[in-house]
Amino acid sequence: MKKLAVLAMTGLLCMALFSGCGTEEDADSSDISEEQQEISISVEPIEDLAADASADGTDNHEGEAQSDLTGEWIDAELAAQRPVAVMLGNTKIAAPQYGIGSADIIYEAPVEGSETRLMAIFQDYQNVEKIMSIRSCRHYYIDWALEFDAIYAHYGQSYLAEDMLGQSYVNNLSGLEGQLSNTMYFRDSSKSAPHNAYTTGEGIAAGISIKGYDTQHDGDYESHYQFNTDDENEITLTDGEDAVIVQPGYLVNKPWFVYDTETGLYERYQFSSAQTDALTGEQLTVKNILIQVCDWYTANSDTGYLDVETTGSGTGYYVTNGKAIPVTWSKESQTAATRYYDAAGNEITLNQGKTWVCVVQDTYEKNITFYAGEEEFSVQ
């Protein structure tokens, strides 16, 4: 076992779940070392991604385009559509979340009370039957949603986010907005508030229509991630650290990911058991894990609200196919995409598939741990 410094997103997270979030009842509110420089990205023939190629070597992707979120080939009209980013509670009472298995990217970051909150980004949101439980905005999530030109859905907000949500370039759908209540947002009587707010694909579409937001990317929109293409083999980090099990190091939900060699995916666990989608009962899985270490401070000692530095630069890790390498990250502005670079300074290429981004406070990066095998790991 070898612990790697990657800011365990633990400090002061989201314990204030029942204190005031705006007017809502929801209160949640570099350098790489010389040792790391020896690690680099390699490409090996794990799996032929050109399964859709025709016999003459040309592709069969007529009418399709690569998704900006996963790099996978999808309907071209869907690929041109702006995604929706939805805030989800991640307390034990809120789990399991509904519809989360349909998300293409999941951001996990600390909030007050040493808990984490999730932001699930959906490309094909119209076909999601139910998304729950929807929680309030924390201002730093807005910066990440803007990176994908996403429409941002939330149920209330902390006071720190109010000015940002009022900016014209932030297209948001708030459950506290009267014209959206009962049209886009609903309550599930099987759970208590504030953990029972939900929406549907139809509700999201209706909310977007009410607000008059554009549903298509502008012509100058640039893709966020850099993915491998169909004529490339899967990326393997052959010189990286063994990462069969990955612990981001969060204190309350204590999550971990386990690599499945048969599927090539990481299975997600938290609260001592598999994390599932309540709609399907299926465990959440992702192809890529990005760990991003960020500076932070307590913005308000009374509420415990945090301020996580989303811009500037820092360190982290890229994890895929059972290996991890150190990376540096850089984000030039609130709306700019976060870019991740390997030890040689090259922007990393992700494998096609879903990605989980773990934002970890730099104070707790020592809690991030990679394990070479299950025999070294024990559930806490």
Side-chain angles (χ1 to χ4, degrees):
M1 176 186 76
K2 180 176 180 181
K3 284 200 173 183
L4 298 181
V6 178
L7 183 139
M9 216 152 55
T10 301
L12 308 166
L13 303 171
C14 169
M15 195 78 169
L17 294 174
F18 295 91
S19 54
C21 238
T23 58
E24 179 202 5
E25 76 269 29
D26 176 335
D28 340 309
S29 95
S30 316
D31 296 335
I32 297 178
S33 67
E34 292 183 3
E35 176 183 356
Q36 292 173 325
Q37 301 232 358
E38 298 175 0
I39 301 176
S40 60
I41 295 179
S42 301
V43 176
E44 286 194 351
I46 282 186
E47 179 180 347
D48 185 2
L49 296 179
D52 291 329
S54 59
D56 63 359
T58 60
D59 64 49
N60 277 333
H61 297 301
E62 182 178 354
E64 294 183 323
Q66 279 191 289
S67 166
D68 291 328
L69 304 185
T70 66
E72 297 169 330
W73 289 94
I74 60 175
D75 180 82
E77 291 187 6
L78 179 60
Q81 175 180 276
R82 296 176 66 192
V84 169
V86 184
M87 292 299 298
L88 294 175
N90 198 37
T91 59
K92 196 166 187 178
I93 193 173
Q97 296 88 352
Y98 286 71
I100 191 172
S102 296
D104 298 294
I105 297 171
I106 296 175
Y107 270 78
E108 183 171 17
V111 289
E112 55 281 359
S114 293
E115 295 185 357
T116 67
R117 186 155 296 185
L118 307 177
M119 184 178 74
I121 306 178
F122 301 84
Q123 185 79 62
D124 189 10
Y125 56 84
Q126 293 97 329
N127 290 317
V128 184
E129 177 184 343
K130 183 178 185 179
I131 302 174
M132 187 175 88
S133 71
I134 301 178
R135 300 305 300 270
S136 58
C137 165
R138 295 297 176 268
H139 62 287
Y140 37 93
Y141 288 90
I142 300 173
D143 290 2
W144 297 320
L146 289 172
E147 297 188 19
F148 299 90
D149 191 28
I151 298 169
Y152 182 64
H154 57 101
Y155 208 109
Q157 63 280 325
S158 71
Y159 75 93
L160 295 169
E162 291 177 356
D163 288 343
M164 294 174 64
L165 291 170
Q167 301 302 312
S168 61
Y169 58 86
V170 179
N171 291 170
N172 75 101
L173 302 165
S174 174
L176 296 184
E177 192 168 337
Q179 60 181 337
L180 298 182
S181 62
N182 300 321
T183 300
M184 174 179 170
Y185 292 104
F186 315 94
R187 293 285 183 180
D188 186 329
S189 60
S190 67
K191 285 195 174 186
S192 60
H195 309 287
N196 62 350
Y198 74 92
T199 190
T200 64
E202 291 182 357
I204 292 173
I208 293 173
S209 178
I210 289 173
K211 298 294 290 184
Y213 295 144
D214 290 334
T215 59
Q216 303 293 304
H217 288 300
D218 291 335
D220 58 355
Y221 173 72
E222 296 183 3
S223 296
H224 188 292
Y225 294 134
Q226 178 174 282
F227 291 100
N228 63 339
T229 58
D230 282 358
D231 58 358
E232 293 175 347
N233 295 314
E234 279 205 355
I235 293 168
T236 62
L237 311 175
T238 54
D239 296 326
E241 180 81 9
D242 287 335
V244 173
I245 297 178
V246 179
Q247 280 186 312
Y250 304 131
L251 293 184
V252 174
N253 58 328
K254 297 181 179 179
W256 72 96
F257 300 85
V258 178
Y259 180 62
D260 185 331
T261 56
E262 292 186 4
T263 64
L265 302 176
Y266 278 92
E267 300 169 337
R268 165 80 175 196
Y269 295 80
Q270 66 172 3
F271 296 118
S272 301
S273 62
Q275 184 173 4
T276 61
D277 185 329
L279 281 180
T280 64
E282 295 180 357
Q283 186 171 10
L284 304 185
T285 58
V286 294
K287 184 64 181 178
N288 307 297
I289 302 170
L290 287 169
I291 300 176
Q292 183 174 335
V293 179
C294 295
D295 295 336
W296 68 283
Y297 63 90
T298 302
N300 186 304
S301 58
D302 293 330
T303 63
Y305 288 148
L306 307 182
D307 197 338
V308 177
E309 295 291 345
T310 62
T311 58
S313 61
T315 59
Y317 293 88
Y318 172 43
V319 186
T320 193
N321 287 333
K323 294 283 188 177
I325 62 166
V327 297
T328 56
W329 64 266
S330 176
K331 178 175 167 66
E332 296 180 353
S333 68
Q334 183 186 29
T335 59
T338 303
R339 303 296 181 186
Y340 303 87
Y341 303 93
D342 63 17
N346 301 311
E347 184 173 358
I348 65 170
T349 299
L350 303 183
N351 278 315
Q352 293 183 21
K354 297 184 178 184
T355 298
W356 197 297
V357 183
C358 295
V359 177
V360 179
Q361 297 161 275
D362 59 354
T363 306
Y364 305 103
E365 65 177 292
K366 63 183 179 182
N367 294 346
I368 300 303
T369 309
F370 299 144
Y371 296 88
E374 295 187 24
E375 63 281 357
E376 300 178 1
F377 172 78
S378 61
V379 178
Q380 299 180 358

